[in-house]
């Protein structure tokens, strides 16, 4: 079964063809980094305009690379939220038009579910597992009991981890996206030389990164001569301690023996190494997707869409994007 996936939730225009929810036949991503770089973050109106320009060539390229005619596609899986409303609207409208013209059913996918399903594209999933989704817009931990069965155990109360990376990069004078720059700088700095605060909330597995970001801002103002490498290393060490510490704590509490990482921040070298090293000590296995499947892509959306397709969960032409779209139930 062939699913054409599409994602325009943020600043990447993505389309992919995936067979049976697991085999990537083609995967095309057009990023907008050069547009947003100079602003130090995403400008929503510029993002949606670029999606309008790119959606047709990106979808055509995904079909061409897969050597598949649109008539061979069994369903179109499209992200309908959460994300930037103007950006989402482009993907949803395009999917509805393709569906109408070619009589192909649509399945609507939650972007966060897509990130979780990136696991299924490279590994045989074993349930239950814990999914840490860390991106520019989200930082959440889910207990995944089966396909489509998610309980959110914790989420950020303010900034997402990726957002904190982007803001710290901006205040150190770098462009967007900041995560890869800080990751690289951190590898050349001393993580012990500057101690930034770690926020472990009491009575909750929620996260908070805005205090850390503000602490970095104050430090940079007071110490203009400090090495950027050490600031990056100190900041990254604080983020990693919280993400890894909390994930392992939650896994132990719920008796879960595997953790998956996904979302753009999951590409972070320090986070990946630290998670594997510390989880191993507790007998917990860690699954790390390839870097291209950590950041936004449409293969993960096609994979998630496949399971909706199997459950006959089709969307109608009433489908509208939603900027806010929670995933899953309360923890049990
Ligand atoms: O998942 P994603 O592509 O888009 C969202 O759904 O938000 O994640 C983008 C985020 C950005 O904040 C970017 O700075 C961050 O992921 N990121 C990283 C790394 N690569 C991307 N953060 C830390 N280290 C990285 N290597
Ligand atoms: Zn994402």
């Amino acid at each position: 079964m062939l699913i054409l996936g599409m994602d325009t939730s943020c600043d990447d225009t993505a389309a992919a063809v995936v067979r049976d929810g697991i085999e990537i036949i083609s995967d095309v991503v057009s990023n907008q980094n050069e547009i947003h770089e100079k602003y130090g973050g995403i400008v929503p109106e510029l993002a949606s305009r670029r999606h309008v320009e790119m959606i047709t060539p990106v979808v055509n390229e995904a079909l061409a690379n897969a050597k598949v005619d649109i008539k061979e596609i069994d369903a179109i899986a499209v992200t309908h939220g959460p994300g930037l409303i103007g950006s989402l609207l482009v993907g949803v409208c395009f999917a509805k038009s393709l569906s109408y013209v070619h009589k192909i059913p649509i399945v609507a996918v939650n972007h966060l579910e897509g990130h979780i399903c990136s696991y299924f594209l490279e590994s045989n999933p074993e349930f239950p597992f814990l999914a840490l989704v860390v991106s520019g817009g989200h930082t959440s931990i889910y207990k995944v009991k089966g396909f489509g069965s998610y309980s959110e155990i914790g989420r950020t109360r303010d900034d997402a981890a990726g957002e904190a990376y982007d803001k710290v990069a901006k205040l150190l004078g770098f462009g967007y996206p900041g995560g890869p720059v800080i990751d690289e700088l951190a590898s050349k700095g001393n993580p012990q030389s500057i101690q930034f605060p770690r926020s472990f909330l009491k009575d909750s597995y929620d996260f908070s990164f805005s205090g850390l970001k503000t602490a970095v801002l104050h430090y940079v103002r007071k110490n203009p001569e400090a090495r950027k490498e050490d600031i990056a290393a100190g900041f990254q060490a604080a983020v990693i301690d919280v993400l890894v510490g909390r994930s392992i704590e939650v896994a132990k509490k719920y008796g879960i023996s595997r953790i998956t990482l996904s979302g753009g921040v999951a590409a972070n070298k320090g986070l990946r190494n630290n998670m594997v090293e510390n989880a191993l000590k507790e007998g917990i296995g860690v699954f790390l997707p390839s870097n291209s499947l950590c950041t936004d892509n449409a293969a993960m959306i096609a994979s998630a869409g496949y399971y909706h397709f199997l459950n006959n969960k089709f969307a109608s032409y009433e489908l509208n994007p939603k900027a806010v779209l929670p995933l899953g139930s309360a923890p049990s």
Side-chain angles (χ1 to χ4, degrees), residues 133-161:
V133 182
V134 263
S135 71
H138 309 276
T139 300
S140 294
I141 301 189
Y142 296 96
K143 179 179 172 186
V144 184
K145 286 172 271 181
F147 297 113
S149 173
Y150 315 104
S151 309
E152 191 182 59
I153 292 169
R155 58 155 57 206
T156 184
R157 292 193 179 173
D158 40 58
D159 290 350

Side-chain angles (χ1 to χ4, degrees), residues 10 26 48 113 158 228 265 304-306 317 330:
C10 194
S26 68
S48 37
E113 182 177 23
D158 40 58
K228 288 184 181 177
V265 182
Y306 171 72
Y317 290 129

Side-chain angles (χ1 to χ4, degrees), residues 7 9-10 111-112 115 133 135-138 263-264 294-297 300:
D7 186 274
S9 57
C10 194
H111 182 77
L112 299 167
H115 274 304
V133 182
S135 71
H138 309 276
C294 289
T295 45
D296 285 351
N297 65 87
M300 66 186 196

Side-chain angles (χ1 to χ4, degrees), residues 83-97:
L84 301 172
I85 196 71
S87 292
L88 288 163
L89 196 58
V90 177
V92 168
C93 290
F94 194 82
K96 286 201 269 190
S97 315

